[in-house]
């Protein structure tokens, strides 16, 4: 459905459960994270439940979102506030300036960003007569909304502003704080719609019936708004992951429905928008000297047991994990919900999630290792995905002849398949004869224990790195797509709870020893 379709579905669920009563609610609607192909360690449970290296016990993105929006309901008329699960908005407006959502139509928060950030986000073309660029907070009418525009489109549409002379947010994602005039655009994050608008969208959803395409709550809702909106975007499918049947027709219907609806923008001049939806962003914000790490007070070790040698590891992020004496973690790496035994070493810039490693092994730099509990027919079993943090899991090709363009940890996929004794065929992919990619490739062995699944996946990686043969033909193999189909969330949470209980017990023991 896309996040737009799921928004409509959630509105229908509210009406079915509460009837007309829901029109008096202030609703927080968070998109839980989709497939999370650019941050696959969050795929099984959803990005909204991503653990942060913050708090004791650790907080999830959900708790952070609730804390960030704590003041909003007091200054909000009944309606729906829509937000993503992988962004964080930090701002300062002054003690006497609350953010108020009380206007009809749509109201969106806007943040100053450099033009490069604008190419991957929504950009507001503000009405210059109502916008000064001064102060912490301004309410400005929006002339038009652009979705992931190129720089030329931003410039030609009048979206680019020149700012300077007072403090600015710093990069990445900001306009620099040197006091020198610089070009920037105002990008989107959270938006609100009043109840009459939400009801309009709900009626549209009921009339359409079953959606056969992905709708984007940002691109497909907001581009129809403002006096400068045109229907041109309805035919532009360049930013769509899966076009689906009838997408253009549905977009045109939405444009007709929403055309003329107001788009009010709350410009937060002293604000910063952070995105942590990719492996690179995740590693940067959690381990480097990032501004977000400083502003939120993110910790190198959060609710974990680590050896005394951990102090010498440098910039790492250990989240609700047990690391035994004799293991080591390289700088720039994240370990979450895992148990690492003696003899385990992790290279730099890697991610280890939900894994139990009780054997001596080196996990190479730039590696993503994430374990998933699955239940296919009988008892719980385990599969561990392993990739390079820079591997493109969204990329797919249409034919087997194109497989050489898919890269697994620097090697071509056909080369890897040869090393593993697997034949490149349509049966190898859970998607059949379409969307052939790393996401749908059946290459990961199903194992009876968590530790064994980690061992096998690391053997696959070792095979590729050293160009040595490894036989996978005797195993049942799953794609990441299938892991999510068969995932056993209950068992994954049990594993996390066991780690939690052991950390609590160890702390009690340490306290009594003192």
């Amino acid at each position: 459905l896309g996040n737009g379709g799921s928004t409509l579905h959630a509105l229908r669920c509210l009406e079915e459960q509460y009837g007309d009563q829901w029109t008096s609610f202030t609703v927080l609607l968070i998109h839980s994270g989709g497939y999370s192909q650019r941050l696959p360690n969050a795929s099984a449970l959803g990005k909204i439940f991503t653990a942060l290296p913050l708090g004791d016990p650790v907080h999830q993105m959900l708790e952070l979102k609730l804390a960030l929006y704590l003041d909003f309901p007091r200054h909000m008329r009944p309606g729906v506030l829509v937000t993503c699960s992988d962004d964080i908005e930090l701002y300062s407006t002054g003690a006497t300036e609350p953010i108020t959502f009380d206007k009809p139509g749509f109201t969106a928060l806007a943040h100053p960003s450099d033009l490069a950030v604008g190419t991957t986000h929504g950009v507001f073309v503000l009405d210059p007569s109502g916008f000064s660029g001064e102060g912490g907070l301004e309410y400005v009418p929006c002339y038009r909304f652009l979705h992931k525009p190129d720089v030329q489109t931003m410039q030609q549409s009048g979206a680019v502003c020149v700012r300077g002379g007072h403090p600015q947010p710093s990069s990445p994602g900001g306009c620099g704080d040197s006091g020198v005039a610089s070009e920037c655009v105002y990008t989107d994050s959270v938006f609100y719609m009043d109840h009459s608008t939400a009801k309009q969208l709900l009626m549209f959803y009921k009339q359409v019936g079953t959606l056969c395409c992905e709708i984007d709550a940002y691109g497909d809702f907001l581009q129809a708004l403002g006096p400068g909106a045109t229907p041109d975007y309805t035919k532009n499918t360049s930013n769509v992951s899966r076009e689906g049947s009838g997408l253009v027709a549905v977009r045109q219907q939405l444009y007709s429905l929403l055309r003329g609806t107001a788009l009010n923008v709350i410009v937060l001049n002293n604000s910063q928008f952070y995105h942590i939806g990719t492996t690179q962003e995740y590693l940067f914000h959690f381990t480097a000297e990032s501004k977000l790490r400083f502003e939120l007070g993110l910790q190198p070790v959060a609710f974990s047991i680590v050896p005394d040698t951990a102090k010498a590891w440098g910039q790492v992020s250990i989240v609700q994990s047990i690391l035994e004496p004799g293991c080591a973690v390289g700088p720039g790496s994240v370990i979450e919900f895992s148990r690492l035994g003696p003899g385990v070493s992790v290279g730099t810039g890697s991610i280890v999630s939900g894994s139990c490693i009780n054997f001596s092994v080196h996990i190479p730099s730039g590696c993503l290792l994430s374990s998933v509990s699955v239940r296919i027919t009988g008892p719980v079993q385990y599969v561990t995905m392993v990739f390079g943090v820079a591997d493109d899991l969204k990329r797919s090709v249409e034919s087997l002849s194109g497989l050489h363009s898919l890269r697994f940890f620097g090697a071509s996929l056909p080369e890897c398949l040869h090393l593993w004794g697997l034949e490149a065929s349509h049966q190898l992919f859970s998607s059949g004869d379409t969307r052939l990619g790393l996401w749908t490739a059946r290459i990961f062995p199903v194992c009876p224990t968590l530790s064994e699944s980690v061992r096998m996946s690391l053997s696959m990686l070792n095979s590729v790195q050293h160009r040595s043969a490894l036989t996978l033909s005797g195993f049942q193999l799953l794609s990441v797509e299938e892991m999510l189909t068969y995932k056993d969330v209950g068992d994954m949470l049990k594993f996390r709870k066991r780690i939690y209980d052991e950390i609590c017990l160890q702390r009690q023991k340490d306290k009594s020893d003192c």
Side-chain angles (χ1 to χ4, degrees):
L1 294 177
N3 58 29
S6 64
T7 297
L8 300 177
H9 181 72
L11 295 180
R12 188 169 73 176
C13 289
L14 282 171
E15 186 187 58
E16 287 174 354
Q17 184 158 347
Y18 296 104
D20 291 339
Q21 187 184 357
W22 85 280
T23 59
S24 64
F25 292 170
T26 49
V27 178
L28 174 60
L29 196 155
I30 308 175
H31 302 131
S32 62
Y35 295 120
S36 192
Q37 289 172 301
R38 295 184 297 168
L39 189 65
N41 55 304
S43 295
L45 296 182
K47 282 190 279 196
I48 192 58
F49 301 111
T50 299
L52 301 168
L54 176 69
D56 189 48
V58 295
H59 301 316
Q60 300 176 112
M61 277 295 291
L62 178 59
E63 280 91 16
L64 181 60
K65 287 278 182 183
L66 293 172
L68 290 173
Y69 306 151
L70 192 63
D71 291 331
F72 286 178
R74 285 188 291 174
H75 308 285
M76 182 187 295
R77 285 188 176 173
V80 182
L81 188 76
V82 179
T83 183
C84 291
S85 56
D86 58 6
D87 59 33
I88 297 168
E89 306 86 24
L90 302 180
Y91 58 89
S92 175
T93 61
T96 60
E97 294 184 282
I99 292 176
T100 303
F101 299 95
D102 60 355
K103 293 180 172 60
F106 286 79
T107 302
L109 300 186
H111 313 272
S113 304
D114 63 37
L115 272 60
V117 172
T119 62
T120 57
H121 290 82
V123 173
F124 300 103
V125 181
L126 302 173
D127 182 348
S129 64
F131 174 55
S132 70
E134 302 293 329
L137 182 151
E138 284 187 90
Y139 293 88
V140 185
C142 184
Y143 176 74
R144 186 182 174 195
F145 178 83
L146 309 172
H147 186 58
K148 298 182 179 179
D150 57 36
V151 172
Q152 185 179 10
T153 301
M154 287 186 266
Q155 291 170 332
Q156 292 175 344
S157 303
V160 179
C161 303
V162 178
R163 302 189 61 204
H166 54 86
Q168 306 290 311
S170 64
S171 59
C175 293
D177 55 4
S178 62
V180 179
S182 59
E183 285 190 331
C184 70
V185 290
Y186 285 87
T187 54
D188 63 341
S189 61
V190 180
F191 72 82
Y192 160 89
M193 53 184 163
D194 70 337
H195 260 298
S196 64
T197 305
K199 285 182 77 173
Q200 267 187 293
L201 286 169
L202 179 56
M203 286 181 65
F204 161 80
Y205 185 51
K206 290 176 178 176
Q207 289 168 0
V208 169
T210 303
L211 283 173
C212 300
C213 56
E214 288 190 12
I215 298 176
D216 183 11
Y218 296 84
D220 294 335
F221 293 174
L222 301 188
Q223 281 189 104
L225 310 176
T230 72
D232 296 349
Y233 75 90
T234 60
K235 296 177 182 177
N236 180 4
T237 58
S238 60
N239 286 318
V240 178
S241 57
R242 294 187 204 170
E243 187 171 333
S245 62
L247 174 61
V248 172
V250 169
R251 279 182 168 179
Q252 289 172 339
Q253 288 174 276
L254 279 168
Y255 175 76
S256 299
L257 176 75
L258 296 172
R259 187 181 181 188
T261 304
L263 175 55
N264 310 288
V265 174
I266 302 175
V267 175
L268 299 172
N269 287 310
N270 188 20
S271 70
Q272 184 69 63
F273 171 92
Y274 297 97
H275 189 259
I276 55 170
T278 70
T279 52
Q280 287 85 356
E281 291 166 339
Y282 178 82
L283 289 167
F284 173 75
H285 288 305
F286 283 13
T287 67
E289 290 296 331
S290 72
K291 194 176 179 189
L292 177 67
R293 182 170 172 150
F294 170 75
E295 289 179 332
L296 286 182
L298 302 183
Q299 305 155 346
V301 178
F303 196 70
S304 296
I305 297 173
V306 298
D308 294 336
T309 53
K311 295 171 185 174
W313 291 348
Q315 295 172 313
V316 297
S317 181
I318 314 296
V319 182
Q320 196 168 317
S321 295
I322 298 172
L323 278 60
E324 297 180 29
C327 74
V329 177
S333 289
V334 176
I335 313 295
E336 63 163 7
F337 303 110
S338 294
R339 177 189 290 277
L340 274 56
V344 177
S345 66
V346 180
T348 62
S350 292
I351 299 170
V352 178
S353 176
S355 299
C356 176
I357 312 176
N358 56 10
F359 51 92
S360 294
V361 70
H362 174 67
I363 298 170
S365 298
C367 174
L368 184 144
L369 187 81
S370 182
S371 301
V372 178
S373 304
V374 295
R375 192 185 293 269
I376 301 170
T377 51
V380 174
Q381 295 173 289
Y382 302 91
V383 191
T384 298
M385 68 178 87
V386 63
F387 294 105
V389 293
D391 289 351
D392 188 354
L393 273 64
K394 294 190 86 164
R395 179 176 172 78
S396 63
V397 296
E398 294 180 356
S399 66
L400 295 174
S401 61
L403 292 182
H404 67 276
S405 67
L406 302 174
R407 313 299 291 182
F408 176 92
F409 223 89
S412 73
L413 184 58
E415 185 180 0
C416 298
L417 296 177
H418 176 72
L419 291 169
W420 300 329
L422 300 176
E423 182 184 349
S425 66
H426 288 297
Q427 288 70 40
L428 185 74
F429 296 88
S430 54
S431 55
D433 57 359
T434 61
R435 294 187 298 109
L436 312 178
L438 295 180
W439 185 258
T440 58
R442 291 179 170 133
I443 55 176
F444 297 111
V446 179
C447 298
T449 68
L450 181 54
S451 180
E452 186 60 25
S453 78
V454 174
R455 186 191 296 271
M456 282 305 304
S457 292
L458 288 175
S459 296
M460 292 170 61
L461 188 52
N462 183 69
S463 163
V464 171
Q465 285 192 303
H466 296 93
R467 301 299 189 266
S468 57
L470 174 73
T471 302
L472 292 180
S473 55
F475 289 90
Q476 179 179 5
L477 303 174
L478 295 185
S479 65
V480 181
E481 181 179 60
E482 289 173 319
M483 288 185 207
L484 303 186
T485 300
Y486 297 120
K487 66 182 179 182
D488 189 319
V489 172
D491 191 72
M492 295 177 73
L493 294 179
K494 279 181 190 174
F495 177 69
R496 293 185 176 193
K497 182 66 163 59
R498 284 197 295 272
I499 291 176
Y500 174 91
D501 289 341
E502 190 167 334
I503 292 170
C504 290
L505 280 171
Q506 184 61 46
R507 286 184 166 193
Q508 288 176 353
K509 183 178 180 297
D510 292 345
K511 200 172 181 181
S512 62
D513 289 348
C514 289

